[in-house]
Amino acid sequence: MAKKVLFINQEIAPYVAESEMSIMGRDLPQKAQESGFEIRTFMPKWGNINERRGQLHEVIRLSGMNLIIDDTDHPLIIKVASIPTSRIQVYFIDNDDYFLKRQMTEDEDGTEYPDNGERAIFFARGVLETVKKLRWSPDIILCQGWMGAVIPLYIKTAYHEEPCFANTKVITSLFQSQLKTDLGKNFKSCVEFRSAKAALLKNYNETFDFKELGKLAIDYSDAVIEAGPNVNQELLDYAKDKKIDILNYPGEDHSAAYTDFYNKICPSED
């Protein structure tokens, strides 16, 4: 039986501009599928994504749930499209409050959105609730970008009793620093959900920045990937100190290295 890999991406080309991360977001699922894995892939429906050009459409049966963050209801909207070159299907997490008429990390003036922390929390919970609705049980979850940094915490706490995530291994990919400012003082309280209590975050700084988010992701991950030649060195050293499995940067021809790493983290049952 094919292993199942869930790719949680901050960026995927061609829906957003090409970058190290968006190209990885496009190529990794395709290469995993070509290597025999069953895959699903998610990203935020950033407000600068052209829905008509990308041929996105809403999946009514998956939409309609309300997620409560900071005592406010936020409707979850799920859209889907297929990457033209590979036919890989992409699920988009959308919400008018967090994504409509808004860019990615920064606004048009280069100012980071003050609710980026809430956006990451909404995205994480939106992905996991949608995967549950799909009745699809991933063997591995690969998180790329700060928008997916809360996923490992939720998998190991709030969702650990969900049957579809009971045996899931989580891998965090490290990239260069992506946030210039912190996420404000309410991140710890907003992240609280089920058994993901704010008290679990007491040893982190009161205000979360890119490094604190990275440490949170590493602490609750089963493995880490050095995704490029210039990743945040402090976070890479932090992962090494934790003595968890690390895939060091394998170079641009990374398909075989990633496949071997997936199989190492989640070996086949004899």
Side-chain angles (χ1 to χ4, degrees), residues 6-8 28 140-144 171-173 225 258 262:
L6 172 61
F7 292 90
I8 300 178
L28 287 180
I140 297 169
I141 296 177
L142 178 63
C143 303
Q144 299 201 101
I171 302 173
T172 288
S173 282
I225 292 175
Y258 272 67
Y262 301 151

Side-chain angles (χ1 to χ4, degrees), residues 114 150 212 223 261:
V150 186
E212 289 300 288
F261 197 62

Side-chain angles (χ1 to χ4, degrees), residues 18 51-52 86 89-90 120 143 174 188 215 225 232 244:
E18 286 196 355
E51 293 193 38
R52 183 182 58 81
S86 64
Q89 194 174 61
V90 178
C143 303
L174 298 181
K188 290 184 179 182
K215 290 174 183 177
I225 292 175
N232 185 285
I244 63 174

Side-chain angles (χ1 to χ4, degrees), residues 169-184:
K169 301 294 185 182
V170 186
I171 302 173
T172 288
S173 282
L174 298 181
F175 288 85
Q176 297 182 57
S177 298
Q178 301 148 24
L179 292 170
K180 295 178 292 189
T181 56
D182 62 57
L183 302 177

